Amino acid sequence: MNKVDLSLYLVTDNSDNEEKFLKTIEDAILGGVSVVQIREKTADTLDFYNLALKVKKITGKYNVPLIINDRVDIALAIDADGVHVGQSDMPCDVTRKLIGKDKILGVSAATVEEAQKAEKDGADYIGTGAIFPTATKDDAESVTINELKEIVESINIPVVAIGGITLKNASELVDTGIAGLSVVSAIMSADNPKKASEELLNIFNS
Amino acid sequence: MNKVDLSLYLVTDNSDNEEKFLKTIEDAILGGVSVVQIREKTADTLDFYNLALKVKKITGKYNVPLIINDRVDIALAIDADGVHVGQSDMPCDVTRKLIGKDKILGVSAATVEEAQKAEKDGADYIGTGAIFPTATKDDAESVTINELKEIVESINIPVVAIGGITLKNASELVDTGIAGLSVVSAIMSADNPKKASEELLNIFNS
């Protein structure tokens, strides 16, 4: 199993304003983000590739792992640190074969069954959510805090919670056994992404 | 350079009616289609992957090469015969590195410069179009028959013409030096895909 510090896991959103997007990622890392995932669901492959290269310069500078959502080809092309796949993406076992054993493989799982299958199929960690209502991903299945705890207890790989996590509700997750908080809007849309990151990490470590 | 019979090159469209989609591909192969490319611009990765596996069973049965549009990860995952990339997809040289030297690599090029760069960067063939007005790809640049001839003469790898090719206009392309006709609607939307394929191939070989 590949180990990664999942304490504060940033998933990116809309990169239309690229300069602001890249600055937000760098500020978030300076504030304590421990892993960055690029999620681009509509970009042309070339645009995604070029963006990923730019983000990799930033994550590389701070030695923070860079994960690519869904697109194994982009991850291989830029030699990212890993890939994150959902239940509608490439199957976990196929993804593991494509990326090899040394890259990080994360899988979204909303049930104990999905999480156990992902562990068996080569996942290094699980992302579980949405925990709270979220505007970013309106098709996400919702997972209660009790279900999150059940998933954590059912597998031996770490779990990050994702979906609607904010400074106001993050403390509700501290005792669930998760390895980290995964956020999009709470950092990407924050007025001060560095401060938001510091505060989220403080809550998680408290 | 990997050699492939490009005489009649089928590019797929909408696969919503999967049963009909797969039957059309098989009928087209029985009618003489020499290479099949799957193009899916909106499908989830898992759906694309599963569809590609099904198409591969058909192309494999008839020993017809299967090319995946854009998605190098899908091509690698199902061990397709090759990949076709456009100017907004993964760069040609990066694609070649990812797929290795033995898989077929096609590149869309609308100018002599694009075609020559693709040849230099490892392409096995060029797709050039749109030659005639087309409903399938409304963002395609248009290429005149004279420009098509210029591209054919400017490189040493084969060129297929694509874009709005029908039974009515295909004969206009016979003397351009192309290695084949590439069609979408003329076969995928034909009442009789096998007959349409036979007729297109007859025109090309005449």
Side-chain angles (χ1 to χ4, degrees):
Chain A
M1 194 181 90
N2 297 298
K3 294 218 171 178
V4 51
D5 177 359
L6 298 163
S7 308
L8 187 55
Y9 187 135
L10 175 63
V11 179
T12 65
D13 62 358
N14 191 318
S15 60
D16 286 349
N17 183 339
E18 189 177 283
E19 194 181 342
K20 181 166 182 281
F21 178 85
L22 296 173
K23 185 174 185 318
T24 299
I25 292 171
E26 182 154 15
D27 286 350
I29 291 172
L30 292 170
V33 156
S34 60
V35 51
V36 173
Q37 177 190 132
I38 315 180
R39 184 162 70 193
E40 281 286 334
K41 284 297 187 186
T42 56
D44 280 339
T45 299
L46 183 61
D47 291 338
F48 193 167
Y49 169 77
N50 285 326
L51 184 74
L53 282 177
K54 287 175 190 167
V55 174
K56 195 189 172 194
K57 277 196 187 170
I58 299 169
T59 54
K61 180 174 163 188
Y62 298 100
N63 212 16
V64 164
L66 175 61
I67 310 284
I68 303 294
N69 183 284
D70 180 12
R71 294 292 299 266
V72 174
D73 49 356
I74 303 284
L76 294 173
I78 71 149
D79 192 22
D81 300 282
V83 177
H84 186 96
V85 291
Q87 298 290 325
S88 306
D89 298 335
M90 191 81 76
C92 177
D93 54 346
V94 178
T95 305
R96 175 54 82 197
K97 277 184 203 153
L98 290 176
I99 65 175
K101 65 179 174 47
D102 295 333
K103 285 199 191 294
I104 301 159
L105 176 51
V107 175
S108 297
T111 64
V112 165
E113 290 69 31
E114 286 176 358
Q116 288 178 333
K117 179 165 187 353
E119 179 178 30
K120 186 172 73 67
D121 287 347
D124 292 310
Y125 74 88
I126 297 294
T128 293
I131 308 300
F132 304 108
T134 165
T136 312
K137 229 180 159 178
D138 57 12
D139 60 340
E141 287 185 65
S142 75
V143 173
T144 66
I145 290 181
N146 274 337
E147 288 168 337
L148 174 63
K149 282 185 193 171
E150 281 173 23
I151 290 173
V152 169
E153 286 163 14
S154 73
I155 53 176
N156 294 310
I157 54 176
V159 175
V160 290
I162 187 167
I165 298 171
T166 64
L167 288 170
K168 286 186 183 167
N169 62 29
S171 60
E172 298 177 41
L173 300 170
V174 170
D175 293 327
T176 55
I178 57 172
L181 302 173
S182 184
V183 301
V184 186
S185 311
I187 292 177
M188 295 305 291
S189 302
D191 291 332
N192 187 334
K194 178 167 179 284
K195 188 154 166 277
S197 302
E198 288 167 347
E199 291 177 0
L200 282 163
L201 197 56
N202 280 341
I203 294 169
F204 183 70
N205 288 331
S206 66
Chain B
M1 196 179 88
N2 298 298
K3 295 217 170 179
V4 53
D5 177 0
L6 299 163
S7 307
L8 188 55
Y9 186 135
L10 176 64
V11 179
T12 65
D13 62 357
N14 191 317
S15 60
D16 286 351
N17 183 338
E18 190 178 282
E19 196 182 340
K20 183 166 181 281
F21 177 86
L22 296 173
K23 184 174 185 320
T24 299
I25 292 171
E26 183 154 14
D27 287 349
I29 291 172
L30 292 170
V33 157
S34 61
V35 52
V36 174
Q37 177 191 131
I38 315 180
R39 184 162 70 195
E40 281 287 333
K41 285 297 189 187
T42 55
D44 280 341
T45 298
L46 183 61
D47 291 337
F48 194 167
Y49 169 77
N50 285 327
L51 184 74
L53 282 177
K54 288 175 191 168
V55 175
K56 195 190 172 195
K57 277 195 187 170
I58 300 169
T59 55
K61 180 175 163 188
Y62 298 100
N63 212 16
V64 163
L66 175 61
I67 310 284
I68 303 294
N69 184 284
D70 180 13
R71 294 292 298 267
V72 174
D73 48 356
I74 304 284
L76 293 173
I78 70 148
D79 192 22
D81 301 281
V83 177
H84 187 95
V85 292
Q87 298 290 324
S88 305
D89 298 334
M90 192 81 76
C92 178
D93 54 346
V94 178
T95 306
R96 175 54 82 196
K97 276 184 206 153
L98 290 177
I99 65 175
K101 66 180 173 48
D102 295 333
K103 284 199 194 294
I104 301 159
L105 175 53
V107 176
S108 297
T111 64
V112 166
E113 292 67 31
E114 287 176 358
Q116 290 179 332
K117 180 165 186 352
E119 180 177 29
K120 187 171 72 67
D121 287 348
D124 291 309
Y125 74 88
I126 297 294
T128 293
I131 308 300
F132 305 107
T134 166
T136 312
K137 229 180 158 180
D138 58 8
D139 60 340
E141 287 185 66
S142 74
V143 173
T144 66
I145 290 181
N146 275 337
E147 287 168 337
L148 174 63
K149 283 185 193 170
E150 281 174 22
I151 290 172
V152 169
E153 287 163 13
S154 73
I155 53 176
N156 294 309
I157 54 175
V159 175
V160 290
I162 188 167
I165 298 172
T166 64
L167 287 171
K168 287 186 184 166
N169 62 30
S171 61
E172 297 177 41
L173 299 170
V174 170
D175 293 328
T176 54
I178 56 172
L181 302 173
S182 183
V183 302
V184 185
S185 311
I187 292 176
M188 296 305 291
S189 302
D191 290 333
N192 187 333
K194 179 168 178 285
K195 189 155 165 274
S197 302
E198 288 167 347
E199 290 177 1
L200 283 162
L201 197 56
N202 280 341
I203 295 170
F204 183 69
N205 288 330
S206 68

